[in-house]
Amino acid sequence: MRAARSSEARGAWILLSPYVVLLLVGGVIPVGYALKTALEKPPTPLDPSTGFGGVASFRTVFTDYRFLDTFQNVFATLVIWLPIMMIGIVGLALLIHASPGRFGSAMRFVYYIPGALAGIANFVLWVYLLNPGQSPIEGFWHAVGVETIKQAVASPGNLPFVLTAMMFFQGVGSWIVVVNGGLNGIPDDTLEAAALDGAGAWQVAWHVKLPIIRPWIGYAALMNLAYGFQLFLEPQLLDQVASNALPDQWTPTQLGYAFAFSNYNFPAAAAMSLILLVITLGIGLLIVFRSGLFGKEDS
């Protein structure tokens, strides 16, 4: 018995070792280096020396006049985007699962296609859509009084909605596939028992399917939340196509970039990254424990 347990433990460590290496290289070591950098003092023209600076870099970040504004911008985007994203993911995945056969498979593929337009390809597509002079929805822009891409992007309150549309279009298809995989793992016996008890399609979806796939929903929410806090590419490039009409530091990651490459204050940039880590980790842990993402399955 002891030999069997030892063999299982050895096998588990062998399977776990590649992930541990990746965790160290991509997670623990960079965080440790960021913490070390954040506790240093930045060199200046008058004092080019470096050394231990304590928490001065964190004080620099917290007292920066742009700090709160960047988080307000991100939260304004998340409040709009995350609910729409999760409702779209779960709703469309449920519809696909309720449509077995070729039609459901075809729709799953159709929803996934926009996911292939990731990064810069998705951005170029949206620049085309947002430009009233070239957009196929030119009539809509003129109807709402928008004549230039600068107006579409930089008008007060517009950017969170623009980013919501961009990120929803780019990411919803991939997450539908993930959540649909969880739905496909539900035993047929469970669904048949619910049907025999007189449950309709909506009752099965609400009382049977949703509770079972809650960990998948939690995982999707967690990863999308992390992505939202790391917004950089979209607002950075939209600012350029809008003739620099947007604030240069609209998100926390843009502010960290400015600390590093405009102010040459790498300790402050490292401190900004650690602040983002703590916030996203705290919210992530809340989602994990509330959704039962890593809970034990009932035997």
Side-chain angles (χ1 to χ4, degrees), residues 103-234:
F103 178 76
S105 299
M107 292 308 299
R108 183 169 61 245
F109 176 73
V110 169
Y111 291 140
Y112 179 75
I113 289 176
L117 297 173
I120 194 66
N122 181 61
F123 176 78
V124 171
L125 172 64
W126 277 96
V127 168
Y128 175 67
L129 290 173
L130 291 169
N131 189 349
Q134 300 175 339
S135 176
I137 55 172
E138 177 184 0
F140 168 78
W141 291 122
H142 290 318
V144 296
V146 174
E147 302 295 332
T148 65
I149 190 171
K150 182 177 179 179
Q151 285 181 280
V153 173
S155 295
N158 278 13
L159 190 54
F161 292 97
V162 171
L163 292 173
T164 293
M166 293 176 70
M167 294 188 294
F168 180 86
F169 181 80
Q170 176 178 311
V172 69
S174 301
W175 286 109
I176 287 173
V177 174
V178 173
V179 175
N180 187 250
L183 288 167
N184 289 334
I186 299 176
D188 292 336
D189 294 345
T190 302
L191 301 178
E192 290 174 2
L196 289 174
D197 287 339
W202 286 105
Q203 292 174 316
V204 170
W206 185 260
H207 295 289
V208 179
K209 294 181 180 180
L210 283 179
I212 292 176
I213 65 168
R214 189 172 63 176
W216 282 266
I217 298 173
Y219 178 64
L222 177 62
M223 298 305 293
N224 280 283
L225 182 72
Y227 182 80
F229 271 102
Q230 297 171 20
L231 273 177
F232 179 82
L233 174 67
E234 290 86 353

Side-chain angles (χ1 to χ4, degrees), residues 7-22:
S7 177
E8 289 180 1
R10 188 163 51 250
W13 278 109
I14 291 173
L15 293 173
L16 190 62
S17 57
Y19 172 76
V20 172
V21 172
L22 290 174

